[in-house]
Structure formats: C-alpha cells, structure tokens
Amino acid sequence: MDLIISKIPQLLEGAVVTMQLTVVAVVFGMILGLFLALGRLSKNAVVDKICWFYIWIFRGTPLLMQIFFFYYALPLALGKTFSFGAMTAAFIALSLNSGAYLAEIIRAAIQSIDKGQMEASKALGMSYGQAMRRIIVPQSYRRLIPPVGNEVIALLKDSALVSSIGMSELMRTTTQISNATASAVIYLPSAALYLIMTSLFTFVFERLEKKYSVYE
Amino acid sequence: MGRMISVEKVYKSFGTLEVLKDINLEVQQGEVLCIIGPSGSGKSTLLRCLNHLEVITSGKIMIEDDLLAEKLDGKNQFKIAHKKISEICTELGMVFQRFNLFPHMTVLQNIIEAPVSVKKLSKAEAVAYAMELLKMVGLEDKKDEYPARLSGGQQQRVAIARALAMKPKIMLFDEPTSALDPELVGEVLEVMKKLARGGMTMVVVTHEMGFAKEVGSRVIFMDKGEISEEGTPEAIFSNPKNERTRAFLQKVL
Amino acid sequence: MNKMKRILICLSALLIIAFAATACGVSTGSGNADDTQKVLKVGVDDTYPPMEFKDESNATVGFDIDVATELAKKMGMKAEFISNDWAGIFLALESGKFDVIVSSVSRNEERMEKYSMTTPYIANAQVIVVPAEDTSIKEPKDLAGKNVGVQIGTTADESCAEYLKTTKFTLKQYDQVIQPFSDMKAGRLDAIVVDEVVARYYVKKDPKSYKVSSARLTNEPIGVCFAKNSTELRDQAQKALDELFADGTMKKLSEKWFGEDLTGNVKDIK
C-alpha cells in the first residue's frame, strides 16, 4: 500500500501524457476525418480514390507498425530531417490512424442523413458547401457521438502502444515502476487510472449526446 | 401577363428507363397549374426538373427569360455556370411531400436560414419577414419550436413559409398533402389557396382533385411520362377526352 | 462544389504544414542543443535495474547512467538520456534518435561488426536464477527438460538459443525483464537466464522467492555502443573510459551500485 501511494505522482505524470496523446489524436483525427469523409463523398473520382486509399492503408495495417514507421523507418528512409522525437512521432501516428477510423464514422453519419435535406437546401439556393456546413454536418453530430465515443476510448487504450518507442505514458511508467520495485501490484492503481480516464470520456460523451438530442 | 416557365421537347431517362417523353409546356404569370396522374407517370420528375433537382436528358427549359438547361442527347448545348443555375433556382420555391424541414433548427431558424446565408439579408430583416410569413400561415406562436414538436400539417405550413422567405416568383408543390393525415390536409390547402388568390404563379403536383377543380387555372393529366391531356379544370373533370384520363378520374373521384 | 474543393485542399495543406512545423520544431530544437551545448544523447531502456531504471522520484538512475554521465563529463559534454524500449533500441540508434547506447549492451560478435563499440567497462555474467527452494540446478546442463525464461533480444536470449543446440529445454521469451520473475513466482518457470547484476537486484528484493544458482552460462563484457559511422565520437569515449578506469571512478561506481568492484578484471576479457 505504501508502495502504491508513493508511486501515485509518477503514475499521474504518465496519465497526463496518455491524456495528451488521446486529446491531440482525437482533435487532429476529427479534422482529418471530416475532410477524408467529405473527400469520400465527393463526386470527384480522384479525390474519392485518394481518400479511400488513405483509409485503406491506415485501417489495414497495425497501429504499432505505423508508430514504428514514423519513429524508426522515416528517418532511415528520408534522412534526419524526419527524425521526430518520440512525442511527435506518437502524435503523428495516432492522429493519422484515428483520422482513418473517424473518417468512416463521419461518412456513415453524413450518409445516414435523409437526402431530402440536401434537396431542400439546394431548392433554397444554398451551395453544396453551405448545405454541408449549415444543414448536413450539424445534423450528423448526434449520430456521430456514440461511435466517436467508442473510438476515443479505444484510442486512449491503444495509446499504450507508444510505450514501445520509449514514451513514458501510463503503460510504460507502470512497467518502469514494476521493474524497479520487482512488484506487479502497481498495475492495480494504473488500471484504476485508465478506468477513471475512460469514465471521464464516457461522461463527456453522454452529456454531449443529451445536448444534441434536444430537437429529437 | 408574362411567360414564367417554358418547357420544350424535354426528355428524361434514368439509365434505360425513360420517365419523361417529349414534354412541352408553358406557364403564365399568376397561373395555378395542377399536374395530376397515376403514380409513376413522371409528374414529380417533371416538377423536379424545373428547379434542377433532376437534370434533363434532352430538351430546353427557360425560367422567365433565363435559360436553365438546354441539352441534346445528354450533352449540354451551352455551358451554364453553377452560380447562374443557383440564381435562377432561387426564383422558384419548392415544397416537398415529406416537408424536409431542418430538424436541428427551430421554426424561425428554418425560415431565416436561406435569406441570411444565401441572400445575405441582415438577421433583423429576415426575422421581420419570417414573422410576417408565420402570421400568414397561422403559426406565429410556434416560432421557437423544433419541427419534431409540430404536427404534419403545421410542418408543411412552415415549409411553405420557408420557401416563400426567398421571395420566389414561382412556387412548386410536390404532392404537398400526400404525407398528411386526412384531417390535416385542409389547413395546408387553405394556405395554398390564399397564395393562389394573392396572384402567385404555382405548379402543383397533387392527388387533391377538389383543390385542382377549385383553384387550378389549368390541369395537366400525365401518364407514362407523357402529357396525355391538358385543359381547364371543368373540361378535364367533367368532360375528359382521353380514355386514360377518364379511367384515372373514375378511380380517384 | 468548386469552392468546397478549394477549402478542402487548403485545409489539408494547412494540416500537413502544422504537422511538419511541430516535427521540425522538435528536430531543430534538439539539433541546436547538440551544436552549442554539446549534448551527448544517450539511449537507455530504463526498465532494467540496477543498470538503468526510474527511482522513487521518477529520475533515471543506475550504474550505466552514472557511467554515461561521467563519460560525457570527461568528453566535455552533457549527457541527456532518452528512453527507448529494448526491442527497438538499435533501430533508434541507427535512425539518429540518440548518439550512443549505454544500456548494458553486451559485446557479442554480431554487434561488434554492425556497430562501433568501446572496450568493456563491466563484465556481464549470465547467471541462472532459480526458485529459492530449488536444488536441482547446479550447472548449465541441469537445464535439460526445464522451463527456462529470458528477456527477448538480450544476450541471455542468444546464449540460451546457442545452448539449446546441445541441450533440450523449453525456452520462454518475455518482453520485460520482470515478467519471467513474476512467472517463476507463479510456478510456471524453473529457471531464468539473466545478467548477473540484474539477478542480484531482484533476488535481494525478494530472497524468499528466488536465488542465484551456482550455474553460469557465459561471461560477456558490456561496452558502450555507437553507430558504425560515429568513430570519432567512439574514440573520444574510449579515451574518456580509459581515464575513468585510471582515476578509480569505475571502481567507485561499481561499489556504489553492486557493493563490490566488478570492473577490476574486465580489461582482461577481450
């Protein structure tokens, strides 16, 4: 017990890194995912194909491999300009990866909006962009929230994979403590911290869902 | 009296299925043109071609003096800019069978959205006009409700107000009462009659023969993608010349 | 539609620039430090006590850490430690994440060929850890028929693989050095082959569960590991290392971490 208490600050530091990784990956992933989704819905076949290819690659290969690619392989292939620190490589890999998953979630949500909404917007003289921005995308928010919530929680846990490139997020911090103290008991408070973080996101997404449900 | 719509030799196919064949039609200012006919006869498609929700395969459509589309065997005869098409289409208001109100916006937001974002009206101006329109359709007290809280009839009246907010010269109605419970049809038809009396040019695809008879200045009967009979309401309803018109009217009246 | 496309392209470009900017910021930042302050970037897998690990206050400490710090000092530089998982540590060295690995790197033939290493600074005996009550394992050949655990990719792993050619036993490989110890406690392992210094650390922590048997596999020397092309830096480090031996620093550090001088005869192992 004393051991656990004395290690709490160290675990919290790791948890902060885990949170940073998750939040950055979700924010960039959402922006990237939105544009990928719009690209997939575009009438331009080339744009559609490029976005399809991107999603195919990032959903079709293991996240761990992508992390290794950005950390180890890129500088070997392209020179030291591309030698990112572990944090940057982790941000890039997690953002690009979550972007691919979120793109498909966003695309499905947009496509689930009744096509009468687009027709009504066009009949009122709105451009495709205006209709998307003002009418279609805002309606997709509510449908986005449950699957995006899932993705965020999955991402938070997947961020443990970046411990493999030496980032001391919660998982590696736990391993470091466990190795130094020759005791596995530290995994208990660590698991509790993961639970607290995922619960926090669950709570936020439940609130958001309620907020966007007012008109239904 | 000016010519508002002119349709010349229009054909429309979906793949190999031909839904409109050699449609020729003119609509004059202030006219209320009712299009009737069995389902699948192409009446809704014709209406949707008029505001470019569907693109014709061949033929020519003019709105007032502006060319909306001119095609020959699927190819554009003239390159018409997207912007010009959007501009022309704002002259036409459209009311849909399933209302298509924006569910995430209140009644008032639904109505002012296009005037503000497309016509760049100030919000105050748009709201003032929206309130006038809501008064006209009898729904001032519902301005802050979300569409889901309204009955079908109320939603359709909001949809009419929303279309009118763009100050269109022509109103298109695509079976505006077909999705309504019978007891709610009347309130929507009342609003449409009010509009007709006010001199609005209207093209109405409808199954409401009573409305066509009472308000229509001209009636078109469509069957299998063609206009098979055209005339005044009296002529069509009391003395149809075409065999198919007669058979159809017998079924619905 | 066209406008939409333009916005799309602009924003994607922005996104890429944003990424590139953060990336450049990081790399040039450390690059500058390298030139002006003479930082020696040292890669360590800080999950390997007592050689390199995190202490109570989350600082990176250990025998290697002290050696690297003293080395850098003698070279007129300042050591900066970069944490990396053992599994990718050589890849990271090659891709320029750090200048040198000071993380219990045994000087085996393969590494001597692929990298540029100094002479050994400590001997690294591979010992066999057994449950405290065990009496069956007294020499390496007693491993026959047993369940034996190692950390994957370590020299212990390699020597076991070599030993497997002549003796039959079940080899279990683990990601983390602590894992075979936990597994032994759970009764699934009969023996662990591991660096002597690490073995002593864990046995001292829990003498009721483990003991170091009298059996030893090899006696491999540990060196400082540079990338193949960093010969200049390697030569500087070699000189610094020789000085550390000469002025007694190495002896002092060994006594601090292991309670005795394990570096005394290391120069003789070649």
Side-chain angles (χ1 to χ4, degrees), chain B residues 7-13 20 22-23 55-61 69-75:
Chain B
V7 177
E8 277 173 49
K9 295 199 185 104
V10 161
Y11 288 79
K12 167 74 186 169
S13 318
L20 293 179
D22 194 21
I23 303 289
V55 183
I56 57 173
T57 312
S58 174
K60 183 177 170 184
I61 295 178
E70 181 163 7
K71 285 192 153 193
L72 192 62
D73 297 331
K75 287 193 194 74

Side-chain angles (χ1 to χ4, degrees), chain A residues 14-207:
Chain A
V16 166
V17 177
T18 293
M19 277 302 252
Q20 282 174 337
L21 284 167
T22 308
V23 170
V24 167
V26 168
V27 170
F28 276 98
M30 277 303 273
I31 298 169
L32 180 65
L34 177 62
F35 285 98
L36 284 170
L38 291 176
R40 288 282 280 123
L41 296 169
S42 150
K43 286 189 194 117
N44 185 322
V46 178
V47 174
D48 176 17
K49 280 278 143 51
I50 292 172
C51 295
W52 177 89
F53 182 77
Y54 177 95
I55 294 167
W56 180 65
I57 293 285
F58 278 90
R59 286 205 315 174
T61 55
L63 176 55
L64 187 60
M65 253 183 214
Q66 292 164 20
I67 293 169
F68 281 179
F69 176 82
F70 286 107
Y71 192 63
Y72 297 127
L74 220 52
L76 286 178
L78 299 175
K80 295 208 171 166
T81 330
F82 291 90
S83 185
F84 311 125
M87 191 81 173
T88 312
F91 278 156
I92 292 176
L94 288 176
S95 301
L96 295 187
N97 181 272
S98 72
Y101 281 94
L102 290 167
E104 288 298 273
I105 292 172
I106 295 170
R107 182 174 68 97
I110 288 177
Q111 277 180 329
S112 75
I113 304 296
D114 179 23
K115 76 182 200 318
Q117 293 290 311
M118 181 53 95
E119 290 189 346
S121 314
K122 280 191 172 168
L124 286 167
M126 292 187 212
S127 66
Y128 179 83
Q130 278 175 324
M132 273 293 174
R133 221 168 32 248
R134 301 280 308 164
I135 309 298
I136 310 294
V137 173
Q139 282 184 57
S140 68
Y141 291 160
R142 208 200 74 69
R143 293 175 206 203
L144 275 176
I145 291 163
V148 168
N150 264 342
E151 171 63 18
V152 171
I153 286 171
L155 187 69
L156 188 138
K157 292 179 293 178
D158 284 350
S159 72
L161 287 173
V162 306
S163 63
S164 61
I165 55 173
M167 265 202 76
S168 291
E169 40 65 76
L170 184 49
M171 184 66 202
R172 186 168 169 87
T173 304
T174 312
T175 309
Q176 281 165 343
I177 296 172
S178 159
N179 282 17
T181 57
S183 157
V185 70
I186 199 70
Y187 282 97
L188 283 175
S190 174
L193 274 176
Y194 271 112
L195 262 175
I196 290 169
M197 287 191 285
T198 52
S199 307
L200 187 75
F201 279 112
T202 308
F203 173 76
V204 167
F205 278 91
E206 271 169 9
R207 289 296 293 269

Side-chain angles (χ1 to χ4, degrees), chain A residues 6-7 10 13 28 31-32 35 38 42-44 71-72 75-76 80-81 83-85 88 92 95-96 128-129 163-166 172 175-176 178-182, chain C residues 1 4-5 7-8 11 15 18-19 22-23 26-27 44-47 49 53-56 58 83-85 88 91-92 94-97 176-178 201-202 205:
Chain A
S6 70
K7 293 296 180 186
Q10 207 174 329
E13 271 177 53
F28 276 98
I31 298 169
L32 180 65
F35 285 98
L38 291 176
S42 150
K43 286 189 194 117
N44 185 322
Y71 192 63
Y72 297 127
L76 286 178
K80 295 208 171 166
T81 330
S83 185
F84 311 125
T88 312
I92 292 176
S95 301
L96 295 187
Y128 179 83
S163 63
S164 61
I165 55 173
R172 186 168 169 87
T175 309
Q176 281 165 343
S178 159
N179 282 17
T181 57
Chain C
M1 189 60 211
M4 198 65 207
K5 248 183 267 168
I7 297 173
L8 220 151
L11 270 157
L15 207 70
F19 269 132
T22 49
V26 169
S27 54
V44 291
D45 175 20
D46 48 7
T47 60
F53 63 107
K54 296 280 191 188
D55 73 357
E56 308 298 312
N58 208 20
S83 168
N84 204 99
D85 203 60
L91 256 176
E94 286 176 73
S95 61
K97 303 293 175 197
Q176 295 289 336
V177 71
I178 185 68
Y201 180 85
Y202 283 127
K205 284 253 175 203

